[in-house]
Amino acid sequence: MDDKVVSENDDALMSFQNEMVRACPLASCSNRRRSHGESSSASAVVDANDNRDSHNKRVKIYDDFDGGRSETAAASSSTRTSRAPADYGDYDHFRGSPLQPTNDGDDFGMLSTGEENNFDSSRVKVSEGDDCDMSEVENAKVTMDLSDDLLLKVFSFLDHTNLCKAASVCRQWRSASAHEDFWKRLNFENRKISAEQFEDICRRYPNAMAVSISGPETYVLAMKAISLLRNLEVLKLGRGHIDDSFFHALADSSMLKKLRISYATLGGGVLDIPIDHDRLCHLKLKKCRVMGITVRCPLLETMSLKRSNMVQVVLNCPLLQKLDISSCHKLPDSAIRLAATSCPQLVSLNMSNCSCATDETLVEISQTCAGLNFLDASYCQNITLEFVRLPMLTVLKLHSCEGITSASMAAISHSSLLEVLELYNCNLFTSVSLNLPHLQTVRLVHCRKFTDLNLRAIMLSSMLVSNCPALQRINITSNSLQKITMPKQGSLNTPALQCQSLQEVDLSECESLTHSLCDVFSDGRGHPVLKLLVLDSCESLTSVRFISTSVVSLSLGGCPITNLDLECPNLEKVVLDGCDYLERASFCPVALRSLNLGICPKLNMLSIEAPLMVSLELKGCGLLSKAFINCPLLTSLDASFCSQLTDEDLSATTASCPLIESLILMSCASIGLDGLCSLYWLPHLNVLDLSYTFLVNLQPVFESCSRLKVLKLQACKYLTDTSLEPLYKEGALPALQELDLSYGTLCQSAIEELLASCTNLTRVSLNGCVNMHDLNWECRHSCCQIDKLGAVNTPFGASHEKICEVSEQSTRLLQNLNCVGCPNIKKVVIPHCFHLLFLNLSLSANLKEVDVTCLNLCFLNLSNCPSLEILKLVCPRLATLFLQSCNIGEEVLEAAISKCSMLETLDVRFCPKICSMSMARLRAACPSLKRIYSTSSS
């Protein structure tokens, strides 16, 4: 092409681009053409596109006025047809796209706002290198050649920003992105643009159908839009001063259908603003400053003057159906009456926050606008509705209307078609008695004197009654209501409900509800499909007896109930948090899979029949003296601190729950030998906790629990030194892996024999054992085998064959050993425990010597062992070593960690013999160290 063909408009667009207004892709493209000697005009590009339509059968895509797209196929001799736009998705769902209409609750398909289009297409990069030159892109080999109609379909999903970026790729993409079908909606909100730039854009795209403008130049740009865009249908203006001449010239835009002006000052402030247009269908003036308006629009359907400051409205709009004058505080009652009564086709009227409105106006409106079906009279203090009759009304909203009384309800009852009724903060009416067959939604909130609700509404499907403290009686009949929410009704006694479809009821914090409520929701009371019942914090509810075959979830949190009797075979969830006074509970039958009654400290009698229950927790029920538990699938039972639980109850439970795998009887002081004998009925038992009991003979456990893996005997101080002999002399409990003898009284020899013979144990806890003096597992043969391995200061110092040889000879499987707080232990020697991973000897005040040679040990805790003097470690895989508050010397520690080649964390805080200057030596001795915690660093 030739430079002479370059359009004169490109110069204007160049400055327009520098102002960050990126509405036209040709602006950036023309800049690149000019810099490289390429010449083209916008009209030439468009003409070339049109000329190729017949050859490529390109699909043209047009914006409709609701933000969508429509497309038509170009005429051609071919019989091939184009696909419908639905095949390519919904063009409206692009977040941040200027093609997308705003969704601000109005009836206009206007443009989106924001700064999302502030881009510079001249800086688009096509690779990770420098900015790509346009000529380089055009001269490069095209690896993917798309047909024009396919390219247009792809581009139809792009917003203005991405269209401009696409224009920088190649000539074909530039031509496609410049097609006027993509530029029917121009968004100039919150952007600086001169009148010359705007005029140039309008001339470039004369078929634009929607324009959005805001800012100080709104009036000038709006006048140019009206004069240059003859197909303009949607115009959005805001934040500026709009002179009278604009409204006089508005008739010249003959195709205009939607006009929205917001946050603007209209006219000179003296005379009424005339809006005279033969085709205008939707008008919205939001928060505008104007003395008054006169509207003559024979086709106008919707009009909104929300929050506008005006004193006069004159309407000549015979087809107007929706009128919104909400928050027009200065609009007098006579103006409201004149405006509404001049529109006989009115079906929707929003007059909320019009403080001057009266019943007389509503009476005249009801006589003139017989089809009125929506009325919002919220915050109108002079409205009572006593003499108003609106037979066609379907939606009525009355928020904070102090004039609404019980007599108003009688007037509302004449609206037999009413579907939605909202009463918020209406403090004078005391009762509601309505028989409305079409009523579907009721909202009664913060009505202080409201005491009686009598509602017969067969179609009622949604209901909210909240914060009506005087409400005492409720009588509701409905065949469609599925959910009732009535929280915080402090005076409500017993609701009368006849609702065959009711599924959810929320009566939380209704302080006056009593046990008679249970009869309302039990079987045979007209609620065959009730699923959810919430009665939280009902302070007068002391006894609950509930029989229902449908209820699935029941919440009684915070209720002071003492007796609970549930016969609900489908009950899957029950909430009893805060039921501190519960004494007797019966769940027979229920479908619960788990139940926690440990939060009920006063429970003394329990009966459970739950065929699906797998977990039951009674932890803390110290007064429980009688329990009947029939749960054939139960696998876990925690009865910790149930000190009154007897052998008889335990025997009955084990007989009826044969699948129990975990049984916790910690601090069950009443359990004796007979109770342990009943463990015979639990062939799958693998976890048994008998800590803090008075047991002496464990023979029933050794004989019955052959599969036991975990046995906890903490603080069983009545066990003798021979009580555990079957473990290490007779091979009892062959599957046992974890044994907890903490705070016991076993002697040193019994402990040593136990550790030496029970080689199958993987976890042993001996915390607080006062009779243990030394822990010496020294074995010369095994030590020799380890010594033969040579240098083991690295994990690979020993050969694989020799390590395997030692592991085969070391039959001990112990992995975790806890000896915390053993006051008399002095020496620990563990030379050959191959599988040991975790060793905790902390808080052993008299521990002086530790000699550990364990190839796989990774954690060692010697904190708070103030007597520790000798530390010998050959632990090539040790990763963490704790030595807090130990008196160990620096040289001893340096020698010990030198043979721990994988040590990463060392804690020597509060060690008086280890100073901060020693850190370098320690790191030199053990190069693998990553973290050293010392007193100076802490």
Side-chain angles (χ1 to χ4, degrees):
M1 296 186 183
D2 197 325
D3 286 336
K4 296 180 180 180
V5 190
V6 177
S7 171
E8 297 177 357
N9 295 329
D10 288 335
D11 294 333
L13 286 177
M14 186 65 178
S15 59
F16 173 68
Q17 178 183 5
N18 293 335
E19 293 293 337
M20 300 180 68
V21 182
R22 310 303 182 194
C24 174
L26 293 183
S28 59
C29 297
S30 62
N31 295 339
R32 292 187 178 273
R33 290 198 302 270
R34 189 178 299 107
S35 62
H36 295 287
E38 181 186 351
S39 60
S40 177
S41 67
S43 59
V45 173
V46 175
D47 291 342
N49 291 338
D50 294 338
N51 292 335
R52 289 198 298 270
D53 281 351
S54 61
H55 298 287
N56 296 322
K57 295 172 270 304
R58 182 173 59 199
V59 177
K60 291 185 177 181
I61 303 170
Y62 300 92
D63 289 334
D64 60 26
F65 299 106
D66 293 323
R69 303 279 184 91
S70 61
E71 61 181 42
T72 58
S76 69
S77 58
S78 173
T79 59
R80 182 172 65 89
T81 60
S82 62
R83 297 177 64 184
D87 295 340
Y88 300 93
D90 187 353
Y91 300 132
D92 291 342
H93 299 98
F94 305 109
R95 186 171 297 178
S97 170
L99 300 176
Q100 180 186 5
T102 56
N103 186 17
D104 56 357
D106 56 43
D107 297 322
F108 302 101
M110 302 303 289
L111 305 179
S112 63
T113 62
E115 297 295 337
E116 64 273 10
N117 289 332
N118 287 347
F119 64 93
D120 189 350
S121 60
S122 64
R123 297 175 62 87
V124 175
K125 294 183 180 181
V126 296
S127 67
E128 296 180 358
D130 297 330
D131 291 358
C132 182
D133 191 278
M134 192 64 194
S135 61
E136 296 175 1
V137 176
E138 295 171 351
N139 295 330
K141 180 179 179 180
V142 179
T143 59
M144 181 176 64
D145 187 13
L146 300 176
S147 62
D148 288 348
D149 59 347
L150 179 57
L151 193 61
L152 283 179
K153 289 182 181 294
V154 174
F155 280 11
S156 66
F157 290 90
L158 303 181
D159 57 16
H160 285 178
T161 302
N162 291 311
L163 281 172
C164 292
K165 292 180 180 179
S168 302
V169 175
C170 62
R171 291 179 179 176
Q172 183 192 19
W173 286 32
R174 180 194 307 158
S175 300
S177 64
H179 198 279
E180 65 177 358
D181 293 341
F182 298 144
W183 304 90
K184 293 294 183 68
R185 293 177 173 269
L186 304 178
N187 186 354
F188 301 107
E189 283 191 295
N190 302 316
R191 292 182 174 86
K192 293 181 179 179
I193 178 173
S194 66
E196 293 77 11
Q197 292 169 341
F198 182 78
E199 181 177 354
D200 182 75
I201 295 298
C202 293
R203 293 187 185 279
R204 187 178 297 275
Y205 296 106
N207 294 323
M209 301 167 66
V211 174
S212 180
I213 308 169
S214 66
E217 299 294 328
T218 297
Y219 167 69
V220 177
L221 301 184
M223 294 296 291
K224 289 188 177 295
I226 291 176
S227 61
L228 297 176
L229 302 177
R230 293 303 177 184
N231 294 323
L232 188 63
E233 295 187 1
V234 178
L235 181 59
K236 178 181 177 181
L237 309 175
R239 301 189 183 280
H241 180 272
I242 301 177
D243 197 61
D244 296 351
S245 57
F246 167 79
F247 298 98
H248 291 291
L250 196 62
D252 296 338
S253 184
S254 59
M255 303 299 293
L256 191 65
K257 293 182 179 179
K258 300 180 181 180
L259 174 62
R260 175 179 176 179
I261 305 176
S262 57
Y263 302 96
T265 300
L266 310 183
V270 178
L271 301 177
D272 291 354
I273 295 300
I275 301 179
D276 190 345
H277 201 283
D278 292 337
R279 291 196 178 185
L280 194 64
C281 297
H282 307 283
L283 173 63
K284 183 170 185 178
L285 305 179
K286 181 179 180 181
K287 205 172 183 179
C288 292
R289 296 172 60 90
V290 59
M291 289 297 295
I293 62 170
T294 300
V295 182
R296 194 202 69 82
C297 299
L299 299 183
L300 194 66
E301 298 176 359
T302 64
M303 180 177 177
S304 175
L305 305 176
K306 187 175 182 179
R307 301 176 67 186
S308 292
N309 187 3
M310 61 183 67
V311 297
Q312 182 65 34
V313 176
V314 178
L315 301 182
N316 185 2
C317 308
L319 299 183
L320 188 66
Q321 297 182 5
K322 296 182 179 180
L323 177 60
D324 185 352
I325 54 175
S326 58
S327 300
C328 293
H329 300 286
K330 293 186 178 181
L331 203 61
D333 186 45
S334 58
I336 298 174
R337 184 184 309 140
L338 178 63
T341 55
S342 63
C343 307
Q345 301 297 322
L346 198 64
V347 297
S348 174
L349 176 60
N350 187 344
M351 51 188 294
S352 61
N353 278 291
C354 290
S355 55
C356 298
T358 63
D359 280 347
E360 289 75 11
T361 293
L362 284 180
V363 170
E364 290 196 26
I365 292 175
S366 65
Q367 295 172 353
T368 305
C369 308
L372 190 67
N373 56 46
F374 177 95
L375 176 61
D376 187 348
S378 301
Y379 303 96
C380 296
Q381 305 298 328
N382 299 321
I383 296 294
T384 66
L385 295 182
E386 293 185 13
F387 304 103
V388 180
R389 300 293 183 266
L390 296 168
M392 303 301 294
L393 198 63
T394 60
V395 177
L396 178 59
K397 297 183 179 182
L398 301 171
H399 297 187
S400 299
C401 293
E402 295 294 339
I404 299 299
T405 63
S406 298
S408 305
M409 297 299 109
I412 293 175
S413 64
H414 288 85
S415 301
S416 58
L417 300 180
L418 193 64
E419 298 178 359
V420 177
L421 176 61
E422 295 184 3
L423 297 173
Y424 283 57
N425 295 296
C426 298
N427 296 320
L428 294 183
F429 78 94
T430 58
S431 64
V432 174
S433 182
L434 297 174
N435 185 354
L436 299 173
H438 297 280
L439 190 61
Q440 299 178 14
T441 302
V442 173
R443 299 285 186 270
L444 301 172
V445 180
H446 288 289
C447 300
R448 290 183 300 175
K449 296 184 178 180
F450 178 42
T451 61
D452 194 354
L453 174 62
N454 190 346
L455 192 60
R456 183 176 180 84
I458 303 301
M459 300 297 294
L460 187 65
S461 59
S462 176
M463 181 174 179
L464 172 63
V465 180
S466 178
N467 289 286
C468 299
L471 184 61
Q472 299 179 2
R473 294 171 295 277
I474 291 180
N475 191 341
I476 301 175
T477 302
S478 172
N479 291 338
S480 302
L481 187 61
Q482 297 184 359
K483 181 178 181 179
I484 292 181
T485 303
M486 295 186 292
K488 299 181 180 180
Q489 309 304 321
S491 301
L492 183 62
N493 292 321
T494 303
L497 304 175
Q498 294 295 324
C499 306
Q500 297 293 324
S501 301
L502 192 61
Q503 296 185 17
E504 300 181 14
V505 177
D506 185 353
L507 296 173
S508 56
E509 299 185 55
C510 294
E511 300 174 357
S512 298
L513 290 176
T514 61
H515 64 276
S516 60
L517 175 72
C518 302
D519 297 332
V520 176
F521 298 109
S522 293
D523 283 350
R525 298 291 182 170
H527 309 102
V529 294
L530 183 64
K531 302 294 183 184
L532 172 65
L533 180 59
V534 180
L535 300 173
D536 293 340
S537 301
C538 294
E539 296 183 359
S540 297
L541 198 61
T542 58
S543 180
V544 174
R545 176 177 173 80
F546 193 47
I547 303 174
S548 174
T549 56
S550 62
V551 70
V552 174
S553 177
L554 175 63
S555 182
L556 298 168
C559 293
I561 54 176
T562 57
N563 296 292
L564 177 62
D565 189 354
L566 300 180
E567 188 175 336
C568 307
N570 292 309
L571 184 65
E572 298 178 359
K573 180 180 179 181
V574 61
V575 177
L576 298 172
D577 295 345
C579 295
D580 299 336
Y581 299 95
L582 185 62
E583 298 178 359
R584 299 169 179 263
S586 174
F587 303 85
C588 300
V590 290
L592 297 171
R593 295 184 60 85
S594 64
L595 179 62
N596 183 0
L597 293 175
I599 52 180
C600 304
K602 295 185 178 181
L603 186 67
N604 58 67
M605 295 189 66
L606 174 64
S607 179
I608 299 178
E609 183 178 339
L612 301 178
M613 184 173 291
V614 296
S615 175
L616 175 61
E617 184 169 335
L618 303 174
K619 185 176 182 179
C621 297
L623 301 180
L624 185 63
S625 59
K626 191 66 177 176
F628 169 74
I629 302 174
N630 184 9
C631 305
L633 298 183
L634 191 68
T635 59
S636 176
L637 174 60
D638 187 348
S640 302
F641 304 103
C642 294
S643 57
Q644 304 297 323
L645 197 64
T646 64
D647 289 344
E648 181 182 357
D649 296 324
L650 181 60
S651 300
T653 300
T654 56
S656 59
C657 308
L659 298 182
I660 290 180
E661 298 177 359
S662 175
L663 180 61
I664 312 298
L665 298 174
M666 183 173 62
S667 295
C668 292
S670 299
I671 298 297
L673 188 61
D674 294 338
L676 293 185
C677 291
S678 68
L679 299 181
Y680 171 80
W681 298 104
L682 305 178
H684 303 283
L685 186 66
N686 56 49
V687 176
L688 177 62
D689 190 345
L690 297 174
S691 302
Y692 296 92
T693 58
F694 302 141
L695 295 172
V696 177
N697 189 348
L698 297 178
Q699 193 62 34
V701 176
F702 300 141
E703 294 177 352
S704 304
C705 306
S706 59
R707 296 188 179 183
L708 197 64
K709 295 181 179 179
V710 178
L711 177 60
K712 295 185 178 182
L713 299 171
Q714 294 184 38
C716 291
K717 297 184 178 182
Y718 290 91
L719 291 177
T720 64
D721 295 339
T722 61
S723 298
L724 297 179
E725 283 187 356
L727 283 178
Y728 53 85
K729 289 186 177 181
E730 302 174 9
L733 305 181
L736 191 65
Q737 298 178 1
E738 180 178 342
L739 179 62
D740 192 344
L741 297 173
S742 300
Y743 311 105
T745 57
L746 292 181
C747 64
Q748 173 80 16
S749 59
I751 294 175
E752 289 180 351
E753 290 190 50
L754 183 68
L755 293 176
S757 302
C758 297
T759 56
N760 56 312
L761 292 174
T762 60
R763 183 183 180 96
V764 175
S765 294
L766 299 169
N767 303 324
C769 291
V770 295
N771 293 330
M772 187 170 64
H773 300 281
D774 288 318
L775 190 63
N776 192 342
W777 294 352
E778 188 171 6
C779 176
R780 294 182 180 179
H781 175 74
S782 296
C783 288
C784 293
Q785 293 294 332
I786 295 178
D787 291 338
K788 291 178 182 179
L789 294 177
V792 291
N793 59 324
T794 65
F796 305 101
S799 65
H800 177 71
E801 292 78 6
K802 291 184 178 181
I803 291 177
C804 292
E805 181 182 352
V806 175
S807 65
E808 290 175 359
Q809 294 185 7
S810 179
T811 58
R812 194 189 305 272
L813 301 179
L814 188 64
Q815 298 179 9
N816 192 312
L817 177 61
N818 289 288
C819 297
V820 178
C822 296
N824 296 318
I825 190 170
K826 297 180 180 180
K827 182 178 181 179
V828 174
V829 179
I830 305 177
H832 65 282
C833 192
F834 182 79
H835 297 281
L836 189 63
L837 302 175
F838 182 99
L839 178 60
N840 192 346
L841 300 168
S842 61
L843 296 171
S844 298
N846 295 312
L847 182 62
K848 294 183 178 181
E849 180 180 350
V850 174
D851 186 351
V852 179
T853 303
C854 296
L855 298 180
N856 288 309
L857 188 69
C858 61
F859 180 92
L860 176 59
N861 190 351
L862 298 172
S863 298
N864 294 285
C865 297
S867 301
L868 184 65
E869 297 176 355
I870 301 174
L871 178 62
K872 298 179 181 180
L873 300 177
V874 182
C875 304
R877 289 184 173 86
L878 185 65
T880 303
L881 176 59
F882 286 167
L883 291 168
Q884 290 186 38
S885 302
C886 292
N887 287 323
I888 190 170
E890 178 182 326
E891 295 180 356
V892 175
L893 176 59
E894 183 180 349
I897 65 175
S898 65
K899 296 183 180 181
C900 303
S901 57
M902 297 183 67
L903 187 63
E904 296 182 354
T905 302
L906 175 63
D907 191 342
V908 291
R909 286 176 289 185
F910 310 109
C911 293
K913 296 181 180 181
I914 307 296
C915 62
S916 58
M917 303 298 294
S918 305
M919 299 301 106
R921 294 182 58 183
L922 296 178
R923 290 187 182 275
C926 185
S928 62
L929 273 174
K930 296 180 179 179
R931 294 170 293 274
I932 300 180
Y933 298 101
S934 63
T935 304
S936 58
S937 65
S938 61

